[in-house]
Amino acid sequence: MALRRFIHIILNPTAGRRNRRLLDDVVGRLHAAGADVTIELTEAAGHATDLARAAARSGKADVIVAAGGDGTINEVARGLLGQGVPLGIVPLGTANVLAVEIGLPPKADEIASMLLGGPAELVGTGLVQGEIFLMMVGIGFDGEIVHGIDPNLKRLWGKGAFIWSGLKTWARGPAHDIRFVVDGREKRAAWALVTNGRHYAGPYVLAPDASITQPGLTLFLFHKPSRFAFAIYLAGLGLGIVPRLPGVEVLPARHINVLGPEGLAVEVDGDDRGFLPQVIERGTQFLRMVIPG
């Protein structure tokens, strides 16, 4: 295919300040290749969605790029559903789960090459309360971790802020009596994760048989409620063996009605997304996304 010439970047100015040199290097390489690069800055939560939608409708961009973390990418993706312009990414966030999922390293030459000429593939999506997600939803333990993070600490410490919030959440008691109706079946669990891809929280493989390029959600129900059990779950995540752990139930799912407990925190693609009750379901629309060639 011909190289993309018009590249529109939507930048979250608060994400990945330590990685800003990466973006500068990518933009320099795009300019050197003859690309016309436009950069817009987000101003508030949800603004990236509006910017992406407007850029797509203008008809002037060959690719619309989310420069930020997984939350920023999620917002840009929302604005591109139903549009013909593909999504590209420059991973500047803390975990960069989607970049890991598609095999994109944080290297300026490879990112620029992908944006200029990488194939645009269809990727599956999920929905939370009617809003799309690309990678994962966490209900309970990690939802409480994300909800409890101090934004100032996150800017200073990056992943350290997640670890600190995680330790506090684990010490407080990580388990909750979560109630579900999954495709008509009643379920309960101490913690739950829903994934649209293989990876979770960065490089960790949660669902080895899943792929973001194939439609379908996988629900992980963690049944044992003790702190020790949660330590085993996290160790299993690090080793890539979560589906084989005792006390873990793995289900394909289309429609997940999470009933309660009311007020329990939910995270979506690494960002706080409110509280239960919420409905999670398989997305009905695909998204075009540029991936490494």
Side-chain angles (χ1 to χ4, degrees), residues 6-271:
F6 297 100
I7 298 177
H8 193 107
I9 297 175
I10 297 172
L11 169 64
N12 177 357
T14 67
R17 289 179 178 174
R18 292 169 298 177
N19 297 329
R20 194 59 51 81
R21 183 179 296 177
L22 173 63
L23 177 63
D24 292 341
D25 288 348
V26 170
V27 171
R29 291 170 185 273
L30 295 175
H31 281 147
D36 186 335
V37 181
T38 300
I39 300 178
E40 285 191 291
L41 304 183
T42 64
E43 298 176 356
H47 190 209
T49 300
D50 297 333
L51 293 177
R53 187 177 293 116
R57 289 176 177 173
S58 74
K60 298 177 181 178
D62 295 323
V63 59
I64 295 174
V65 180
D70 289 302
T72 302
I73 295 168
N74 179 293
E75 287 193 12
V76 172
R78 287 189 234 172
L80 296 183
L81 271 184
Q83 309 286 345
V85 186
L87 167 72
I89 66 172
V90 178
L92 302 179
T94 304
N96 298 315
V97 183
L98 185 59
V100 174
E101 182 76 13
I102 64 173
L104 179 64
K107 296 181 179 179
D109 57 342
E110 298 196 32
I111 295 170
S113 177
M114 178 192 74
L115 296 178
L116 288 165
E121 299 284 349
L122 291 176
V123 299
T125 62
L127 296 172
V128 181
Q129 298 294 89
E131 295 284 358
I132 76 162
F133 69 93
L134 296 178
M135 289 303 304
M136 72 260 182
V137 181
I139 304 151
F141 180 47
D142 59 333
E144 297 281 286
I145 291 172
V146 171
H147 181 72
I149 288 175
D150 181 333
N152 293 322
L153 201 62
K154 182 180 177 182
R155 281 192 289 271
L156 289 171
W157 283 9
K159 291 181 181 179
F162 285 86
I163 294 170
W164 177 242
S165 183
L167 289 172
K168 291 192 297 181
T169 303
W170 181 82
R172 190 167 62 237
H176 299 272
D177 183 17
I178 309 172
R179 306 184 306 278
F180 310 80
V181 177
V182 183
D183 295 330
R185 296 170 291 173
E186 293 186 3
K187 294 285 183 179
R188 295 179 102 95
W191 176 31
L193 297 171
V194 182
T195 182
N196 185 47
R198 298 180 72 240
H199 293 87
Y200 170 83
Y204 306 110
V205 175
L206 175 65
D209 297 327
S211 170
I212 197 171
T213 59
Q214 298 295 326
L217 303 180
T218 306
L219 171 63
F220 289 78
L221 298 175
F222 300 84
H223 291 293
K224 294 183 178 182
S226 70
R227 290 183 181 86
F228 178 75
F230 271 70
I232 295 297
Y233 298 151
L234 296 175
L237 181 62
L239 295 171
I241 59 171
V242 168
R244 305 203 300 272
L245 292 177
V248 177
E249 184 177 3
V250 185
L251 300 169
R254 281 181 168 270
H255 189 276
I256 307 164
N257 190 359
V258 194
L259 304 173
E262 289 191 18
L264 185 62
V266 176
E267 66 93 359
V268 176
D269 287 344
D271 277 0

